Amino acid sequence: MPSGTQQTYKNRIGWARTYLSKAGLLQSPKRGFFQITERGAQELSANHESLSTSYLNRFDEFREFRTRSVDAAGETAVASVSSTPQEAIENAIEEINAQLTRELLDALLGSSPGFFEQVVVELLVKMGYGGSRKEAGQVVGRTGDGGIDGIINEDRLGLEAIYVQAKRWENPVSRPEIQKFVGALQGQRARKGIFITTSRYTADAVDYVSRIENRVVLIDG
């Protein structure tokens, strides 16, 4: 499923069971047990090629169930015959999140580099690093900053600092840029760094960070 909480086939089996039960073709005499009803046996003997949602609409109980579902969740959430209601809802949420991501990236690309650096540090603070904004992070990006845009505490006690590089780019970030950042880390005697960009990383850059001693996390757009 889009949410990653359940396998698609299990979700569809569950909804098929629900639909058949609401249509009076299955019944559950006790928890975890299901058996065919007399109506279900009659439908089975008819040798249908398939039992679609539209076919089940001939049963009053099923139509009543569908009407209640539409009232509760909205027509678009239950109308698709190629997906279950839960899939339709999760797919809709996924599309909304994707659209929001695109809008945020467009806004960030239209901002100043300094503003983007501030956003990155604020984001890391909101993720729980270091406690308060004052305690956790500072933006140091400026001319001659040595390749470091921000510093964030890994924990509330400030036992170890994580150095941040933020690139508000549209073009891919390649290995030389990562190498500069790693060099800046070494200049600070730092072991950990986060490189964040609005674009993406080349395969060579990703391969490079997997083979170095410093712990560098790459986060793309």
Side-chain angles (χ1 to χ4, degrees):
M1 300 289 289
S3 64
T5 58
Q6 187 182 35
Q7 292 172 303
T8 301
Y9 83 94
K10 289 186 177 180
N11 177 265
R12 292 188 176 185
I13 288 172
W15 277 102
R17 186 180 61 206
T18 297
Y19 279 15
L20 292 172
S21 297
K22 295 300 182 180
L25 308 183
L26 283 182
Q27 61 183 3
S28 178
K30 59 181 178 178
R31 181 176 174 82
F33 285 80
F34 297 86
Q35 67 184 35
I36 196 167
T37 63
E38 183 178 347
R39 176 188 289 177
Q42 291 173 352
E43 294 297 331
L44 185 64
S45 65
N47 291 321
H48 298 292
E49 188 172 318
S50 65
L51 281 179
S52 64
T53 302
S54 57
Y55 180 85
L56 295 179
N57 275 327
R58 66 177 55 198
F59 302 112
D60 293 339
E61 302 94 328
F62 186 74
R63 287 199 305 274
E64 182 183 352
F65 160 72
R66 291 277 287 177
T67 300
R68 290 199 308 270
S69 298
V70 169
D71 290 342
E75 181 65 35
T76 56
V78 296
S80 173
V81 297
S82 61
S83 61
T84 68
Q86 187 175 345
E87 282 181 279
I89 291 170
E90 291 193 10
N91 285 329
I93 292 172
E94 193 174 49
E95 175 56 34
I96 291 171
N97 287 337
Q99 178 63 30
L100 177 59
T101 298
R102 291 190 292 268
E103 292 175 1
L104 285 172
L105 282 174
D106 288 343
L108 289 172
L109 287 169
S111 68
S112 68
F115 178 79
F116 180 59
E117 292 166 5
Q118 289 276 0
V119 167
V120 165
V121 173
E122 292 286 353
L123 172 63
L124 293 171
V125 171
K126 292 296 185 181
M127 290 172 66
Y129 288 96
S132 72
R133 170 68 176 82
K134 183 177 179 180
E135 296 168 337
Q138 55 179 306
V139 175
V140 298
R142 64 182 67 88
T143 303
D145 61 15
I148 302 295
D149 289 330
I151 303 170
I152 198 89
N153 288 334
E154 185 173 11
D155 53 67
R156 293 179 181 274
L157 296 177
L159 293 175
E160 187 162 11
I162 299 175
Y163 289 79
V164 182
Q165 178 70 277
K167 290 293 185 185
R168 186 186 55 85
W169 283 10
E170 294 188 57
N171 295 325
V173 177
S174 60
R175 174 171 172 165
E177 290 297 326
I178 307 301
Q179 288 177 310
K180 290 179 189 177
F181 180 53
V182 172
L185 292 179
Q186 293 171 345
Q188 299 287 340
R189 295 183 179 179
R191 298 186 300 114
K192 298 178 181 180
I194 300 174
F195 200 117
I196 300 180
T197 180
T198 49
S199 61
R200 60 183 179 83
Y201 298 96
T202 63
D204 197 32
V206 175
D207 177 66
Y208 172 70
V209 299
S210 70
R211 295 185 288 103
I212 59 176
E213 185 175 350
N214 295 78
R215 175 62 173 154
V216 176
V217 175
L218 303 180
I219 301 176
D220 63 14

